[in-house]
Amino acid sequence: MDDRKICAIVNENFICYNKQVNLAPDIPSPHAPVACLTFARGDEVKGGTAFMSELCCPSCCSALGMAGIRKIVYKDGRKDKQDEKTFDVARYFDIEVIQNGEIGL
């Protein structure tokens, strides 16, 4: 697995891409999905798809669900083994989750 944590949210004529980057060793950076949602305005992402290099954490999945994301496509599972918790959150928000190891993120 790669250490890059990338998220691209796509919906009709809207696309947002963000890479999780450490701001400094002692400053936590926002997760890539949340950074994408912060960039978006209102309904731009509602009904859209989030493409990720690594399955998002449960908190980010919740944020995506609240924003109206309908599908998550990811390349790799989580290193912290919280995949099932993320899947539980996705089921709650009725988000379709698909693993695709061929994503070039």
Side-chain angles (χ1 to χ4, degrees):
M1 268 193 262
D2 197 321
D3 281 344
R4 292 180 303 163
K5 294 183 181 178
I6 298 169
C7 179
I9 296 178
V10 179
N11 189 30
E12 296 179 13
N13 293 326
F14 176 82
I15 185 167
C16 176
Y17 169 89
N18 205 294
K19 177 179 171 185
Q20 186 173 326
V21 178
N22 290 333
L23 303 174
D26 57 342
I27 300 174
S29 63
H31 291 188
V34 170
C36 280
L37 292 175
T38 301
F39 175 78
R41 292 184 203 115
D43 287 341
E44 289 179 323
V45 298
K46 189 172 185 177
T49 300
F51 296 90
M52 302 176 194
S53 57
E54 179 181 297
L55 181 64
C56 60
C57 70
S59 294
C60 286
C61 187
S62 181
L64 292 169
M66 295 289 286
I69 294 295
R70 304 303 332 141
K71 186 186 291 187
I72 293 173
V73 181
Y74 69 98
K75 182 175 183 176
D76 296 316
R78 296 195 52 77
K79 293 178 184 175
D80 63 8
K81 308 297 184 205
Q82 289 194 14
D83 296 42
E84 283 306 315
K85 289 181 181 178
T86 297
F87 296 148
D88 287 343
V89 173
R91 278 189 287 277
Y92 176 81
F93 285 103
D94 197 27
I95 300 171
E96 180 182 6
V97 181
I98 300 168
Q99 184 172 19
N100 181 342
E102 301 302 315
I103 293 176
L105 293 176

